[in-house]
Amino acid sequence: TVDQGNGFVVVLPEDPALLIPAFVSCTPAIDGRFEIAALRPGGYYAFAVESIDVESLYDPAILRTVARRASRIAVSRNESASLDLKVTPWPE
């Protein structure tokens, strides 16, 4: 869930070697809820933002910056995971 209702949720792999656009997920949160399916098992960072500059998802420096203030979540094979997030501003 997302505390302020709407926004975007970004999920980044914890492994720095996987911190590339192909492994970064972004989805809108609608009425405070979001779902990202089919993540490969492993550790992830997740955060919610009011708005997002999609092009900046391709900037490794920005991804590392937001990963430091994100919540950590572990994803296991064939299981679901839940996380409550608070909306934060997207870095400039």
Side-chain angles (χ1 to χ4, degrees):
T1 61
V2 176
D3 74 337
Q4 295 176 7
N6 299 324
F8 295 90
V9 175
V10 179
V11 178
L12 311 167
E14 185 177 49
D15 181 350
L18 298 177
L19 200 53
I20 57 175
F23 293 109
V24 174
S25 298
C26 180
T27 190
I30 300 170
D31 294 329
R33 305 199 54 80
F34 69 95
E35 180 176 330
I36 298 175
L39 288 175
R40 64 185 277 166
Y44 290 87
Y45 295 111
F47 60 93
V49 291
E50 291 177 1
S51 63
I52 189 168
D53 174 8
V54 175
E55 298 232 350
S56 63
L57 286 176
Y58 299 95
D59 183 338
I62 289 180
L63 292 179
R64 284 189 295 273
T65 298
V66 296
R68 286 191 293 264
R69 65 178 184 183
S71 299
R72 188 180 181 292
I73 188 166
V75 175
S76 300
R77 185 176 309 280
N78 297 323
E79 292 184 12
S80 63
S82 62
L83 185 64
D84 295 323
L85 298 172
K86 184 174 183 166
V87 174
T88 61
W90 185 252
E92 299 295 326

